[in-house]
Amino acid sequence: MHFFEENVKRFIEKKRMIERGDHVAVAVSGGVDSMALLSLLHKQRTRLGISVSAIHVDHMLRGGESYEDLRFVESFCKERGISFFGSQADAQREADLSRSGIQKAARHVRYALFEKGMDELEANKLATAHHADDQAETVLMQLTRGGHTQSGMPAVRPFARGKLIRPFLTVTKEDIADYAIGNLIPYREDPSNQKDTYTRNRYRHQVLSFLKQENPKAAAHIYRFAEERQEDELFLQAMAEEKMKNMTIWKQESVLLQIEPFQKVPLPLQKRAIHLILNYLYHGKTAFSFLHIQHILQMLQSTAPSGKLNLPSRLSVRKINEQCVFAYETDDEPDRDQHLLFVEDRLSWQGAGTFALTNSRECPDGADCFRLKPDMPIPICIRMRQNGDRIQLKGMNGSKKLARLLIDEKVPLAYRDHIPVVTDANGTILWIPGIRKSIHEGAGPLLLIYEKE
């Protein structure tokens, strides 16, 4: 076996990425990295005991050129009998409607279609071609931004109804390119990878390029640093969990912490304990930052007998003498009325924000927006969820129960009865602000704006 293939195989086994009987869908852009990964897994499918298929998403950002990428991957798969799922998604339109950056919008539509592709192909693993250079760039960006983690991308993580795996994470870009050339693997170059308008490209072309000039093995060293950080983090989290057992009471939507024994725990474990509590209450959603953890620790270390912090999604942290309570704040009784919005109307939503239906061309900074179809029946209705509610989501066939969606999106139970549901005049659910949009968004003149307080 080629030394490159053996290296990747050892990494797959070390991280237990693949089991016999798995169906692995490879996310294939058409570039050298993903084409090499698809070729390698397809070549090794019998030895690994797996089925291999391919998923390609055309973001429609380069017109006919990006569509040719789709046709290229499709043709490659057809020639080799590889099951293929291909789809187009207008990333620029998504960016315009959501008022987000093009890279964030493209990632959103891409991963939504990855999930859809896995469902259609009946795959339980999604393999991406992130490599050691990508990992180095990620770690450098995390360090620069001051995030609460600097350990890069995990080799394996949950995704959809299965797992996302990164078999190339231990090999460099140069290793992959050499493998592709040596095995006559065809690929297409995306010219946008050369543009420094994208943050990751600037790190790749300027920062990582400089580090590689200083040491050609810089990417491999940063990868090893990230892997060691991940291993250390798992160990420290396990220690924090053990320390927390006798000083916390965990309920479905709240956690009670005994302050006195907590203060005797070493500071590195205190930080991770707070992180574990927040991660539990936010159900894995990153709704908090390093600063939130710092502020909580400062309050707990204070000599004041009481205090309160308000965190995102109405999570409050209260210090009451020797106890600290993490819990969601809700009104005594949700508003069950239906509130109607006509053009140029404004509606205050239970002190949490404001809805407005306008002829605005652009979504205001910091707001969430939904553009109506030209023929959509109004008035728009804002209400709480009801039994039997279903929504037709973008990128999915059929409809989904709203109750199931809120569970899948990890929305805290105490908050579910206070989330606004937006419908048209006929009762069709259009939008769950902050959660998901339906297929009914259009390009008409009316814009529904939701601004949080």
Side-chain angles (χ1 to χ4, degrees), residues 398-417:
S399 63
K400 186 171 188 174
K401 288 184 178 179
L402 181 54
R404 181 73 253 173
L405 172 66
L406 297 181
I407 292 171
D408 291 346
E409 293 291 327
K410 311 297 185 185
V411 177
L413 180 63
Y415 193 50
R416 291 175 198 166
D417 282 335

Side-chain angles (χ1 to χ4, degrees), residues 158-380:
F159 179 74
R161 293 175 178 82
K163 293 181 179 179
L164 185 151
I165 61 175
R166 298 182 169 103
F168 277 180
L169 209 54
T170 190
V171 295
T172 65
K173 178 78 172 180
E174 290 84 355
D175 294 334
I176 297 169
D178 289 345
Y179 176 75
I181 293 170
N183 287 270
L184 303 178
I185 298 171
Y187 60 90
R188 287 172 62 88
E189 291 287 357
D190 181 350
S192 67
N193 290 333
Q194 304 304 317
K195 295 180 179 179
D196 280 353
T197 51
Y198 300 134
T199 302
R200 183 174 287 274
N201 285 356
R202 291 196 297 275
Y203 276 83
R204 179 176 304 153
H205 299 150
Q206 300 173 26
V207 182
L208 188 58
S209 176
F210 167 77
L211 294 175
K212 282 187 170 184
Q213 289 175 20
E214 294 294 312
N215 185 346
K217 295 184 178 180
H221 293 330
I222 297 174
Y223 163 77
R224 188 167 63 250
F225 164 80
E227 187 172 46
E228 290 174 353
R229 282 298 303 265
Q230 290 176 12
E231 292 170 351
D232 291 349
E233 193 61 34
L234 288 173
F235 176 73
L236 290 169
Q237 284 184 7
M239 289 186 65
E241 287 179 7
E242 185 64 29
K243 292 286 186 182
M244 296 285 282
K245 285 182 179 177
N246 298 322
M247 61 182 74
T248 52
I249 298 176
W250 302 72
K251 296 184 179 180
Q252 188 171 19
E253 297 296 328
S254 66
V255 175
L256 186 147
L257 171 67
Q258 300 293 337
I259 296 175
E260 185 177 359
F262 177 79
Q263 290 176 330
K264 297 177 182 178
V265 173
L267 183 59
L269 299 186
Q270 287 186 16
K271 294 176 181 178
R272 286 161 178 83
I274 299 300
H275 188 280
L276 287 168
I277 291 174
L278 296 180
N279 209 43
Y280 168 78
L281 291 172
Y282 283 120
H283 298 275
K285 298 288 185 179
T286 309
F288 61 95
S289 69
F290 173 75
L291 283 177
H292 290 121
I293 295 176
Q294 288 293 99
H295 293 159
I296 292 169
L297 290 173
Q298 289 170 7
M299 183 176 73
L300 295 178
Q301 292 161 1
S302 168
T303 56
S306 64
K308 179 185 175 185
L309 293 172
N310 293 314
L311 272 63
S313 298
R314 304 183 74 182
L315 181 66
S316 69
V317 185
R318 293 176 181 269
K319 179 182 180 183
I320 308 171
N321 296 320
E322 292 304 314
Q323 294 182 334
C324 182
V325 180
F326 298 74
Y328 286 95
E329 294 185 343
T330 61
D331 299 330
D332 293 336
E333 182 62 34
D335 182 355
R336 298 296 178 185
D337 293 335
Q338 294 193 5
H339 301 272
L340 303 181
L341 269 179
F342 292 87
V343 181
E344 301 306 330
D345 278 354
R346 294 183 68 85
L347 168 68
S348 179
W349 182 257
Q350 298 187 350
T354 303
F355 283 97
L357 185 60
T358 76
N359 283 288
S360 176
R361 284 175 168 264
E362 296 184 356
C363 186
D365 290 340
D368 289 330
C369 296
F370 184 98
R371 189 163 293 279
L372 278 58
K373 291 182 177 178
D375 57 350
M376 188 167 288
I378 58 173
I380 295 300

Side-chain angles (χ1 to χ4, degrees), residues 54-73:
I55 298 176
H56 177 89
V57 176
D58 172 13
H59 300 98
M60 302 174 67
L61 294 173
R62 293 180 288 116
E65 186 178 30
S66 64
Y67 182 67
E68 284 303 312
D69 290 347
L70 186 153
R71 297 298 301 273
F72 166 75
V73 177

